[in-house]
Structures are given as C-alpha cells and as structure tokens.
Amino acid sequence: FNDFELLKNSLEKLKLNDASFTYKPEFKERLGRGFQCGFLGLLHAEILTERLKREFGLNLVLSTPSVIYKLVLNGNKELFVYTSADWPESGQILSSFELWTKIKILLPLNYMGSVLELLESLDSKHLKTNYLGTKVELVYEMPLREIITKNLYDKLKGVSQGFASMNYEILDWRTANLIKLDILILGRKEDALSRIVPEREAQKE
C-alpha cells in the first residue's frame, strides 16, 4: 500500500513538469494496483521510468508496452482501445484499425545488410533508400505496434552497434485484422500476458 501511494505521488510530481505524460489508475488481477501510463515514445518512457527509480526509490514492475487501436462495433459505434483488457468480444467488432507511421533510419553503409534484415522481419513497406556519402537513409512505412511492442529502437541499436538513429511520424489509421491473444497457464487465463496481435501472427506469438 505504501509503495502504491508513493508511486501515485511520484507520478503526480512528474506530471507537473511534463504535460505530455499521462497516467490513470489500473488494476490487474495478477499484478494488483498500478497505473496505465502514456508516453511520447520509448525514449520518453525510459527517461521517466529511470527518474521514478532514482528520484523516488521505487522498484517498478513494467508490463508490455501497447499502442492505441480503433474499433467499429455493432451499430457503427467507434471505440478506442488502449489495453487488451478493454478489447470487446469478437462478435461485437465490425472492423479494426491501427495507426501507421513513416519511419526514417540513418545509418553507416556497412550496417545496411543487418538493418535491412531486421526491417524485413517486420510488417513494413519499403518506400525509398537515400545514399548520403558514407551513410544511407532508409524510409519505410510500418504499423506503430511494430515500433513499440517489438522494441524496434533497441533492436536497431543492437544490429548497428549503436550507430543507427531513427525517427518516425504518424500517418493515418489503416484496416487491420486484429484479435486479442490470451495466454493460459495451467488452464487459467493470465490477463497480464494478454496482448493485441494481427490474427496471422497469433500462433507465432
């Protein structure tokens, strides 16, 4: 209880200095009480998480990051889903949409092969390649979930030994065949492990 109150007070203090940071209370059966937090991106999340640990002495349990999805339900009602816990029964869903991005990656030429291999393993569309002397800029389109839930930033830094950099911009909503993937352990559903995935990737996940 004391840790929860400390976390609550710490988030309030961070919010005072950072208007782009959002949070709201959340309860998960296995993890207990906590907060659902919204960040500008992975770097923003990493900085604020580190501040919570260092400045307030908190030991945090972080769940899998997620992105927002848009659903059209029976009766043409729109619903924005932030976590798998909010996902309705499949019989209520007429169509589902996810955000797509344009991503630009700048890297030295000698890492191009490994970075291309990484990008091709994701749900992505190559737009163009710009050669800039000893460097190259790769421009792709991909769903926001590939950047956030697949931890693309860390993987990119890994395959390029830290020499690649990336930025992305949100484009639009596009149709996607999405489902809620539940994980059962000894026959019991573990809500903390549930996630939203494209139907074709459910078995692999």
Side-chain angles (χ1 to χ4, degrees):
F1 175 78
N2 289 337
D3 283 348
F4 179 80
E5 289 301 317
L6 176 59
L7 175 59
K8 180 181 177 182
N9 293 334
S10 303
L11 292 175
E12 288 175 355
K13 290 176 181 177
L14 287 182
K15 176 66 176 173
L16 289 174
N17 298 315
D18 190 343
S20 60
F21 170 62
T22 62
Y23 69 94
K24 65 178 183 180
E26 185 176 54
F27 178 82
K28 289 184 180 292
E29 184 177 347
R30 291 294 178 222
L31 297 178
R33 293 191 301 169
F35 292 90
Q36 180 190 133
C37 300
F39 305 98
L40 292 175
L42 292 176
L43 181 59
H44 188 216
E46 187 176 327
I47 291 171
L48 291 188
T49 300
E50 194 61 31
R51 286 189 63 189
L52 287 170
K53 292 177 180 177
R54 290 186 181 184
E55 295 177 23
F56 303 101
L58 287 163
N59 293 316
L60 301 173
V61 176
L62 305 176
S63 58
T64 306
S66 60
V67 298
I68 185 174
Y69 299 102
K70 182 171 73 172
L71 303 178
V72 177
L73 307 179
N74 295 331
N76 288 321
K77 177 184 176 183
E78 281 193 357
L79 173 69
F80 291 96
V81 175
Y82 294 87
T83 71
S84 58
D86 301 326
W87 196 263
E89 295 295 325
S90 58
Q92 302 178 40
I93 302 172
L94 295 179
S95 53
S96 53
F97 302 85
E98 64 180 343
L99 286 169
W100 273 66
T101 67
K102 178 191 285 186
I103 181 171
K104 295 180 180 179
I105 298 174
L106 186 66
L107 66 147
L109 271 170
N110 53 315
Y111 293 105
M112 187 171 174
S114 56
V115 171
L116 283 176
E117 186 177 342
L118 170 62
L119 293 172
E120 293 303 317
S121 71
L122 303 173
D123 183 5
S124 62
K125 296 179 182 178
H126 176 251
L127 296 183
K128 60 181 177 178
T129 301
N130 300 319
Y131 291 94
L132 310 167
T134 60
K135 294 190 175 182
V136 62
E137 181 187 57
L138 302 173
V139 184
Y140 276 75
E141 285 184 353
M142 67 176 62
L144 182 60
R145 64 175 161 81
E146 292 289 69
I147 298 174
I148 303 300
T149 63
K150 300 287 181 66
N151 206 1
L152 176 59
Y153 179 77
D154 282 352
K155 290 180 179 177
L156 181 63
K157 289 296 183 182
V159 299
S160 69
Q161 296 184 349
F163 286 101
S165 61
M166 62 171 257
N167 66 69
Y168 64 89
E169 59 180 289
I170 302 295
L171 295 177
D172 51 20
W173 291 102
R174 299 186 189 179
T175 304
N177 188 14
L178 302 167
I179 61 170
K180 179 182 178 181
L181 174 65
D182 288 320
I183 305 297
L184 280 68
I185 298 178
L186 297 177
R188 182 166 183 169
K189 185 169 69 174
E190 296 291 343
D191 290 332
L193 299 178
S194 296
R195 67 189 69 181
I196 307 303
V197 300
E199 186 172 17
R200 67 179 182 277
E201 295 183 13
Q203 187 62 44
K204 182 175 71 174
E205 289 287 335

